[in-house]
Amino acid sequence: MALLSITDVTVRFGGLVANNAITLAVPEGSLFAVIGPNGAGKTTLFNVVSGAFPPTEGKISFAGDDITGKPQAAIAARGLIRTYQLVQLFKDLSVSENVQVGAHRVTRGGVFAALLRPGWARTQETAVRDEAERLLDFVGLGGRGDLQADQLPYGQQRLLEVARAMAAKPRIILLDEPAAGLNTQETQALADVIRRIHATGVTVLLIEHDMSLVMQVAQRIAVLDFGRKIAEGTPDEVRKHPAVLEAYLGGTEHSLV
Amino acid sequence: MFDFTQLTQSLVTGIGVGLIYGLVGIGYCVIYNASGIVNFAQGVFVMLGGMFCHTAMTQLGVPLILAAIIAVPLVAIVGIVIDYLVVRPMWNRNATLFAIILATLAAQIMIERITILTLGDQPRTIPDFTAGGPLKIGGIAIGYQLFWILGCGAVMVAALWLFFARTTTGQALRACAQNREAAALLGIPVRRMLMISFALSAALGAVAGILVTPTQYTAFNVGTPFGVNGFIAAIIGGFGHAGGALAGGLLLGIAQAVAIVVFGAGFKNVVALSLLLLVLLVFPSGLFGSTDPDKGA
Amino acid sequence: MTSPDTTSTKAARTLPAVLRGMTLETALPALAAALLLIYALLSSGYLVTVLGFAMIYAVFCLGLNFFMGYTGQASFGQNAFAALGGYGTAILTADYGWEPLVALPVTMAFSGLVAAIVGYPTLRLRGHTLAMATFALGLITYELSIELTGLTQGYMGFSGIPPLGIGHFKLATEKQQLIALVAIVLLGAWISARLRQSRFGRALRAIAGSEKAASALSVDVARYKLAAFVVAALYASAAGSLFAHFVGFISPEVFGASMVVLPFTMLYLGGIGTTWGPVIGAIIVSLLPEALRSLGLKEMQDIVYSFLLIAMLIYAPRGLAILPGLLRRSAAPEKKAD
């Protein structure tokens, strides 16, 4: 059963067709990657799936429900959590507090709970704090919870964003070019974290440019080019696919690992 | 029951005032186009135009035309000073839009207070450009000043149009409006363009102030209503669109004129502000504009 | 602005939220303020009046800080809600003989309702359009308070407003009123700190950091912004009502344009986004006229305020209170791209 079904999604910006009749099914519990040259429409696809804006045509369904065109916060509330290509940290919060915000989805309580602090709210707060520490350890940022978020070096900010997304206990996590701007070491650490996330049962959908990362972790890969899906399959199948070779080797500097 | 004569009389005044609002609105657009900044001190240029003109006439004893010629560049200098001392340092430090807006608002208050201290808080006025009674057409009195407003206003708009279309500086300013980074890369001195836009905007406000003072009065606090109404004109016109600002100003002047007759003079500002809120909420890009006024949030 | 979560020891966690919000930088001025208060209560009359106004503005600023500091949004129109609060209490207590302590929450509720209705469409705006729309709110209430003379007594102002009190026990002297005001400010600060240190407060501060990311974590950004706006309006309304009771007289000018710039000056001076910043800023800025008067510069008040605000906006855009924090944190370069 596909957890996330993208059916015939087309996105047009005026005359530009960013996504052209894309159909994808992400099975539950898989580690799925979407790759493609720059401008292939990968981030646009993430944007319509996560609800930043609606697709011009097509349908997106998540866990059996139609989420096409629904607002972003509502989609996130169902357990579809995404990260951004340019790290969007909450700069004025500490590292731990950043992760605690992630828990918003799985906690409750508004103004009255904040003011009156009933027992369940206090228990919840402690649980949120403890879970944040656990997640920071999980991604390798243990002990750095009290730092200001923008004091972290870039590679660790990335990991923080992942920890924050995990705090929402997602069913599927969408990672938008998580390796962007990371060096080889940091990319390895990230690959390790992604594998561990996947091992906990969370479905992972990943956009990536960095072929080494994708080939290491992905179970299934879809390839986009000029807004269209040109191939889909296991890493081995994709590596040998003629259309993919054409797209990548015919004009870009990437070579397939 | 409406008094048709009263309504028409009010409309006549409203068109004159509306044109002034339009001129102020164009001033907002000029700075906004060059930099994305909204200069909340715009109204103060209107006030200073009238004040400097009056002061030149009384202190230096020069005739109106000479006083105007002295006043406008002086106000332009005030505009440059605001750019240099307030806006530029914040611009260089990548301040948020909100901080810059707040700073221009504070600058407006500061200039108003300095004006009280130096020139006193008494309202004053300058004489009509041409003496003589109002023109009477069928029970409606049209002051000569209105023709001056219309005439000078038209000349200013035409001159501005020529400036932006034909001169190198004008075209450079338009380039900045389209794409600041590209303009900078082409060697256009963006900071200097900012300064020029402030000077131009201040001059526009000053001329508007000199034109409108004979029909009412000038005092340290007349700037704010003109600033607000000018802003409303610019918003209606789709912030950034000079022609739209002019049309917006006229629309606003007419709306106010009608409101005065229907609701009474006291509610004209409420109507103007309600119109502003209505436009902001329903047509955020203005009635004429296609540009997104929310850039640079 | 330091996070209250800086120590994770159990002892620190058991401290009340308000004290945890304090660091050395804020404790020192707070202590100074407390000493000043004691001095005022023991001595001359005029300082009491000044501190009374400071407390009223502190309440206003606490609300403004809540909206601006925690969500990163601008509102140039909080004075509109102060006007609603001030005139609301004036009408209810002076014209209809209501108890001040009943009129206060009732007008607050009314202001909150207006804020919710007005805020819903307005908060969709961004940047200068939001600034102007909120500025227009204050201008509208100003005009209405002048025009609706039957209700507000118009330009001449509304006098005869009774002081705060319960039943027959009215706070007759200014010193008594000052104590009540200080208690209210402490309550307001406590509420603000409590809200900050919670799931609700974290969501707001996340919105200030990145609306996109907050929304991607299921935070309903529009609803939270509106909630913060309403909270700010409640504080502003309370401040307006307190002003009415403290002075006994209000006029449209009171809630006019100076109530736009002055609170921002206080907020920037004290530190935006902190718990005690608004209070400290309010006290310092309220004491300024005294300092100016002794220098013979009383008329220059507004000029000095404006100048101060501009200088702070240019050189310390997050407010002066963070400067000590900046000096301490020399380890990582502070890239404060605001």
Side-chain angles (χ1 to χ4, degrees):
Chain A
M1 214 327 253
L3 182 62
L4 179 67
S5 295
I6 300 167
T7 316
D8 263 332
V9 160
T10 301
V11 182
R12 276 189 220 107
F13 298 118
L16 173 71
V17 183
N19 288 152
N20 199 335
I22 297 190
T23 301
L24 269 184
V26 181
E28 176 138 32
S30 67
L31 211 164
F32 200 110
V34 173
I35 64 175
N38 269 328
K42 312 187 289 288
T43 298
T44 307
L45 187 63
F46 258 31
N47 281 335
V48 298
V49 167
S50 68
F53 47 80
T56 320
E57 285 165 33
K59 191 168 114 122
I60 303 155
S61 74
F62 176 62
D65 295 323
D66 186 352
I67 59 167
T68 322
K70 285 211 159 50
Q72 183 159 38
I75 295 180
R78 288 161 194 268
L80 189 154
I81 306 290
R82 72 163 293 178
T83 63
Y84 286 89
Q85 193 173 341
L86 285 174
V87 169
Q88 300 279 326
L89 286 187
F90 305 131
K91 290 199 302 280
D92 290 329
L93 273 67
S94 72
V95 168
S96 174
E97 282 175 325
N98 263 267
V99 180
Q100 290 175 41
V101 175
H104 196 264
R105 175 176 106 85
V106 293
T107 50
R108 57 190 182 98
V111 179
F112 292 109
L115 275 181
L116 304 171
R117 304 265 171 100
W120 62 263
R122 274 179 276 139
T123 317
Q124 186 181 264
E125 276 293 290
T126 318
V128 164
R129 241 193 302 261
D130 292 339
E131 176 70 3
E133 275 186 42
R134 190 189 72 79
L135 283 169
L136 286 174
D137 284 332
F138 184 81
V139 301
L141 290 176
R144 317 208 72 174
D146 294 330
L147 290 175
Q148 197 78 347
D150 58 358
Q151 285 183 293
L152 290 180
Y154 190 75
Q156 293 183 5
Q157 288 184 3
R158 269 269 180 247
L159 294 173
L160 173 57
E161 213 184 6
V162 174
R164 187 175 70 185
M166 285 301 287
K169 302 210 199 308
R171 288 188 67 175
I172 183 170
I173 187 169
L174 271 59
L175 299 170
D176 191 345
E177 301 213 21
L182 300 186
N183 62 34
T184 326
Q185 252 178 312
E186 290 166 333
T187 309
Q188 277 308 113
L190 180 70
D192 187 48
V193 168
I194 294 177
R195 258 185 249 119
R196 274 189 281 133
I197 288 177
H198 183 232
T200 67
V202 176
T203 310
V204 178
L205 177 61
L206 169 69
I207 288 179
E208 212 13 275
H209 221 69
D210 183 321
M211 296 306 287
S212 66
L213 176 67
V214 171
M215 288 303 170
Q216 273 186 65
V217 303
Q219 290 173 338
R220 216 168 157 69
I221 302 179
V223 187
L224 298 186
D225 192 25
F226 288 116
R228 265 180 228 278
K229 185 175 87 168
I230 60 173
E232 185 182 334
T234 64
D236 273 334
E237 290 166 0
V238 162
R239 191 179 293 156
K240 302 190 191 97
H241 198 289
V244 174
L245 292 172
E246 167 74 40
Y248 266 92
L249 297 182
T252 71
E253 70 276 32
H254 285 275
S255 63
L256 296 178
V257 168
Chain B
M1 251 0 288
F2 298 147
D3 181 351
F4 186 69
T5 321
Q6 192 191 7
L7 185 64
T8 318
Q9 179 73 68
S10 190
L11 279 174
V12 164
T13 320
I15 290 177
V17 173
L19 197 60
I20 302 288
Y21 294 157
L23 285 177
V24 179
I26 295 178
Y28 278 107
C29 294
V30 167
I31 293 183
Y32 182 75
N33 279 338
S35 62
I37 293 172
V38 179
N39 174 29
F40 266 38
Q42 195 64 27
V44 102
F45 300 140
V46 176
M47 182 271 286
L48 287 177
M51 289 293 261
F52 283 174
C53 194
H54 174 264
T55 311
M57 287 176 73
T58 52
Q59 304 288 354
L60 303 174
V62 296
L64 179 72
I65 194 91
L66 203 56
I69 293 177
I70 295 174
V72 172
L74 277 179
V75 180
I77 290 176
V78 173
I80 295 176
V81 166
I82 293 181
D83 168 47
Y84 200 67
L85 290 182
V86 177
V87 178
R88 195 83 72 87
M90 299 185 72
W91 180 267
N92 291 342
R93 286 172 176 75
N94 280 316
T96 59
L97 187 68
F98 162 70
I100 300 182
I101 291 178
L102 185 57
T104 55
L105 187 62
Q108 153 134 340
I109 293 183
M110 203 159 128
I111 293 177
E112 277 183 3
R113 297 291 149 180
I114 294 177
T115 310
I116 297 183
L117 285 184
T118 51
L119 296 175
D121 60 354
Q122 292 305 318
R124 61 208 69 185
T125 188
I126 57 182
D128 282 349
F129 291 10
T130 7
L135 197 61
K136 289 241 204 295
I137 302 180
I140 301 186
I142 305 180
Y144 287 154
Q145 194 61 20
L146 179 66
F147 294 108
W148 277 105
I149 293 178
L150 288 174
C152 289
V155 167
M156 296 262 9
V157 172
L160 267 178
W161 183 84
L162 272 174
F163 172 72
F164 280 112
R166 297 287 157 83
T167 66
T168 330
T169 319
Q171 287 169 341
L173 268 173
R174 276 167 60 209
C176 286
Q178 306 258 344
N179 187 330
R180 211 168 313 137
E181 273 167 30
L185 287 172
L186 285 172
I188 293 176
V190 175
R191 292 208 182 101
R192 193 168 342 139
M193 289 295 121
L194 187 62
M195 185 187 81
I196 292 177
S197 70
F198 263 88
L200 195 56
S201 183
L204 266 171
V207 170
I210 296 174
L211 281 172
V212 85
T213 305
T215 69
Q216 43 172 65
Y217 64 94
T218 185
F220 69 95
N221 58 356
V222 299
T224 308
F226 281 107
V228 174
N229 288 321
F231 186 90
I232 298 176
I235 288 270
I236 294 177
F239 219 83
H241 228 204
L246 201 61
L250 285 169
L251 194 70
L252 180 62
I254 293 173
Q256 277 192 334
V258 173
I260 289 177
V261 172
V262 176
F263 297 111
F267 281 97
K268 76 170 195 292
N269 284 329
V270 178
V271 166
L273 293 164
S274 308
L275 189 62
L276 170 69
L277 280 179
L278 185 72
V279 174
L280 280 177
L281 299 176
V282 179
F283 308 101
S285 14
L287 295 178
F288 306 100
S290 52
T291 46
D292 188 338
D294 301 323
K295 85 174 183 200
Chain C
M1 180 189 71
T2 44
S3 144
D5 249 326
T6 31
T7 57
S8 46
T9 62
K10 219 138 201 262
R13 264 186 233 164
T14 54
L15 278 179
V18 154
L19 287 183
R20 245 185 297 136
M22 283 192 154
T23 59
L24 197 62
E25 293 96 27
T26 49
L28 236 43
L31 193 62
L35 289 173
L36 192 63
L37 180 65
I38 296 173
Y39 172 69
L41 287 172
L42 294 175
S43 65
S44 77
Y46 195 63
L47 195 55
V48 174
T49 313
V50 171
L51 283 181
F53 282 117
M55 292 300 108
I56 292 170
Y57 266 97
V59 172
F60 187 96
C61 288
L62 279 168
L64 184 61
N65 178 59
F66 198 83
F67 185 64
M68 255 195 69
Y70 296 169
T71 57
Q73 309 292 309
S75 171
F76 284 91
Q78 290 306 100
N79 53 328
F81 301 111
L84 286 179
Y87 276 103
T89 7
I91 294 169
L92 288 177
T93 55
D95 286 348
Y96 292 98
W98 282 37
E99 278 296 324
L101 283 182
V102 175
L104 183 68
V106 168
T107 44
M108 278 173 68
F110 176 68
S111 303
L113 189 64
V114 172
I117 296 173
V118 166
Y120 183 70
T122 310
L123 290 174
R124 303 226 181 106
L125 303 172
R126 292 261 153 77
H128 64 260
T129 41
L130 176 64
M132 232 327 166
T134 49
F135 191 58
L137 292 177
L139 291 173
I140 289 179
T141 48
Y142 178 75
E143 293 290 330
L144 286 177
S145 54
I146 293 181
E147 287 309 310
L148 301 175
T149 49
L151 214 51
T152 65
Q153 321 291 328
Y155 214 109
M156 296 326 299
F158 198 123
S159 57
I161 307 170
L164 278 177
I166 307 173
H168 290 297
F169 178 72
K170 296 265 176 245
L171 295 176
T173 70
E174 272 200 336
K175 286 191 186 175
Q176 290 172 333
Q177 291 175 24
L178 179 60
I179 294 176
L181 287 172
V182 169
I184 292 174
V185 167
L186 290 176
L187 178 67
W190 178 82
I191 291 176
S192 182
R194 270 253 165 158
L195 290 178
R196 186 180 198 267
Q197 264 295 89
S198 69
R199 175 179 182 264
F200 177 71
R202 268 197 303 272
L204 289 179
R205 293 160 65 208
I207 291 174
S210 164
E211 283 187 35
K212 268 204 306 191
S215 149
L217 291 167
S218 83
V219 174
D220 188 338
V221 172
R223 234 182 73 200
Y224 273 82
K225 278 201 225 177
L226 190 61
F229 189 67
V230 169
V231 170
L234 292 175
Y235 273 85
S237 173
S241 300
L242 292 172
F243 188 101
H245 289 302
F246 188 62
V247 183
F249 168 83
I250 52 175
S251 72
E253 286 309 315
V254 169
F255 306 112
S258 62
M259 214 187 222
V260 176
V261 174
L262 202 58
F264 282 121
T265 313
M266 295 172 172
L267 213 55
Y268 273 96
L269 195 63
I272 314 170
T274 65
T275 305
W276 291 100
V279 178
I280 295 170
I283 294 177
I284 295 178
V285 173
S286 299
L287 290 175
L288 237 112
E290 296 314 297
L292 287 176
R293 186 197 285 186
S294 57
L295 292 171
L297 293 169
K298 184 84 199 293
E299 297 82 32
M300 307 249 303
Q301 209 167 300
D302 280 337
I303 297 178
V304 175
Y305 288 145
S306 310
F307 179 76
L308 257 182
L309 181 59
I310 292 175
M312 282 190 298
L313 285 170
I314 296 175
Y315 296 108
R318 292 293 298 183
L320 292 184
I322 58 138
L323 283 184
L326 281 180
L327 293 170
R328 258 197 313 173
R329 236 190 301 140
S330 50
E334 195 67 63
K335 38 180 174 77
K336 283 289 181 194
D338 219 69

